[in-house]
Amino acid sequence: MFGKRADGAVAANVARPAPIEPPKPAPAPVTAPAPAAAAGGATPASLDPARVAKAVRAPIPINPQVASSNDGRTEEYYRTKASIYNALIETIDLGQLAALDQKTARDEIRDIVNEIIAIKQVIVSVSEQEQLLADIVNDVLGYGPLEPLLARDDIADIMVNGANSVFIEVGGKVTKTPIRFRDNQQLMNICQRIVSQVGRRIDESSPICDARLPDGSRVNVIVPPLALDGPTLTIRKFKKDKLRLKDLVGFGAISEPAGKVLGIIGACRCNVLISGGTGSGKTTLLNCLTGYIAPDERVITCEDAAELQLQQPHVVRLETRPPNLEGQGAISMRELIKNCLRMRPERIIVGEVRGPEAFDLLQAMNTGHDGSMGTLHANSPREGLSRMESMITMGGFSLPTKTIREMIVGSIDVVIQAARLRDGSRKITHVTEVLGLEGDVIITQDLIVFEMEGEDANGKIIGKHRSTGIARPKFWDRARYFGLEKELAEALDAADV
């Protein structure tokens, strides 16, 4: 069977047709880590066939209730799985397996594992054997124990705090799962597999890394010596179906009239700053607002780990780069935004503003790139503007405070505040205009606010979005330029109830 060793690693006393010896291909260099090595297992350079055959034949009984338990896997299950996995690693030819496509490799591994289960005389039902097969295939080719969590669309966050502690967030509530890893080394190898897919690395010399999964889900990894209890992995999952503003209305994050106001803000090219706390839905809201960008506009996105999911046909995605092993070659967010200005952008979207790039974003917003957007961490719209000022000051710009505030007022039109409430629900709590300066103070006015009215018997917060009664916001003339003033007036009137 293609993919197996030819040194007799599988016991010869299993009745099966004589294998056909395949032609031995010339060894080819493998550019990516071998699949099994990435899952946490080394391949010995030479094996004693008699020793391997003896190890494979050793029967290990398993309690059928263990593998079929819905409450998690026990130590007995993990011992059985580890024994089968080790026999697989000693049997399979990793060099040939690495040359196979994903589907063929999975089929090959399943065939070999089925033989090992038969030889070891593991007593399991068909469904329990399928569970073992799925787990081992995920260990070798996928993300191990994380695979079933990544397949669920109702999970917002996956938080791995070492090999034996995995938490998930569902419906705004964090709960612990029974899922665990074989050891910290397996978890470390899965982290390395994830970050290597986007050309990054994680080790003791570079113990912090931001990365992404193929579907755009955000990944953060921090490993020892900084993480004391083993590698810590945090995944912010994205739904398979890209959300739109009408979906946020359906979830109750914002009312329908207020949602129409946000759509007009996105369509009439207001410069928007989205602020909020961790997990409040800033990136999701940014994705929804970009849905109102015209398809003929050229949009350039700048992110630390590319996660935005824009629908327009003319999108250029840029991503920062960390330094290499010698500490050279890093590309910062500031450099990306500066380069954007030479790429004829019509809108610039910054995934998250964290530092001195705030100055470059404000300059871009104020130099003909209307409709640019960005997010930052803040607890209120006014705090968001203060943070912009602080980040510019911390970047070493020796500008007077009034000059910085004049830049902010001249660049940002609307601040949208997102929040995660105590019941786990996410709401858009403020839609706030930036009006101007009075002396040294930035003047703002709320257009729409979320008012809490109490909570129901299940602890869910009850409230509503309402207009503050501003009939003609500052961006009214901009909306009129795009022919949207009538829709804006109707939306504000409908929200004022």
Side-chain angles (χ1 to χ4, degrees), residues 12-17:
N13 63 345
V14 179
R16 61 181 183 273

Side-chain angles (χ1 to χ4, degrees), residues 43 45 54 76 85 90 95 100 133 140 160 182 191 202 220 239 252 320 331 446 486 490:
T43 306
K54 180 179 179 182
E76 185 177 358
Y85 178 86
E90 294 177 347
L100 300 177
L133 283 169
V140 177
V160 183
R182 183 168 59 252
C191 293
I202 187 75
N220 176 267
K239 290 184 177 293
T320 60
I331 304 296
D446 294 331
K486 183 178 179 181
E490 292 174 352

Side-chain angles (χ1 to χ4, degrees), residues 55-198:
V56 173
R57 280 197 295 266
I60 298 182
I62 181 172
N63 184 349
Q65 297 301 319
V66 172
S68 62
S69 172
N70 292 325
D71 298 327
R73 299 163 174 81
T74 67
E75 291 294 333
E76 185 177 358
Y77 175 85
Y78 283 103
R79 285 197 300 271
T80 304
K81 175 184 163 186
S83 173
I84 296 173
Y85 178 86
N86 291 335
L88 170 70
I89 295 304
E90 294 177 347
T91 301
I92 204 164
D93 189 324
L94 298 177
Q96 293 184 4
L97 186 70
L100 300 177
D101 62 82
Q102 189 82 353
K103 183 179 184 305
T104 306
R106 284 181 177 271
D107 292 341
E108 184 73 12
I109 292 172
R110 291 175 69 89
D111 290 342
I112 300 173
V113 170
N114 278 326
E115 284 193 47
I116 294 173
I117 289 176
I119 294 169
K120 280 182 169 291
Q121 303 174 21
V122 179
I123 305 170
V124 291
S125 68
V126 174
S127 62
E128 294 159 356
Q129 183 167 330
E130 283 298 315
Q131 186 180 57
L132 272 172
L133 283 169
D135 282 355
I136 292 173
V137 169
N138 288 338
D139 284 351
V140 177
L141 297 176
Y143 301 125
L146 296 178
E147 285 285 347
L149 299 181
L150 293 171
R152 288 177 54 182
D153 206 31
D154 61 329
I155 296 177
D157 289 274
I158 301 172
M159 295 153 279
V160 183
N161 309 329
N164 299 316
S165 181
V166 180
F167 291 81
I168 60 174
E169 180 192 323
V170 179
K173 299 295 184 181
V174 176
T175 57
K176 187 174 183 179
T177 71
I179 290 175
R180 50 169 280 189
F181 293 79
R182 183 168 59 252
D183 50 34
N184 279 332
Q185 185 58 48
Q186 183 196 18
L187 174 56
M188 182 68 177
N189 290 332
I190 289 175
C191 293
Q192 290 172 338
R193 174 181 296 179
I194 291 173
V195 302
S196 66
Q197 289 177 335
V198 292

Side-chain angles (χ1 to χ4, degrees), residues 441-474:
V441 179
I442 297 177
I443 304 302
T444 63
Q445 69 178 8
D446 294 331
L447 295 180
I448 295 169
V449 296
F450 176 73
E451 293 184 343
M452 290 190 293
E453 299 173 343
E455 60 181 51
D456 61 16
N458 298 320
K460 286 289 184 181
I461 290 178
I462 302 172
K464 66 178 181 180
H465 292 86
R466 69 167 184 84
S467 168
T468 56
I470 304 297
R472 292 174 67 94
K474 184 184 177 184

Side-chain angles (χ1 to χ4, degrees), residues 185 188 191-192 195 201-209 221-227 230-231 325:
Q185 185 58 48
M188 182 68 177
C191 293
Q192 290 172 338
V195 302
R201 63 187 178 88
I202 187 75
D203 50 39
E204 288 189 3
S205 63
S206 179
I208 300 176
C209 182
V221 182
I222 181 166
V223 301
L226 302 186
L325 287 171

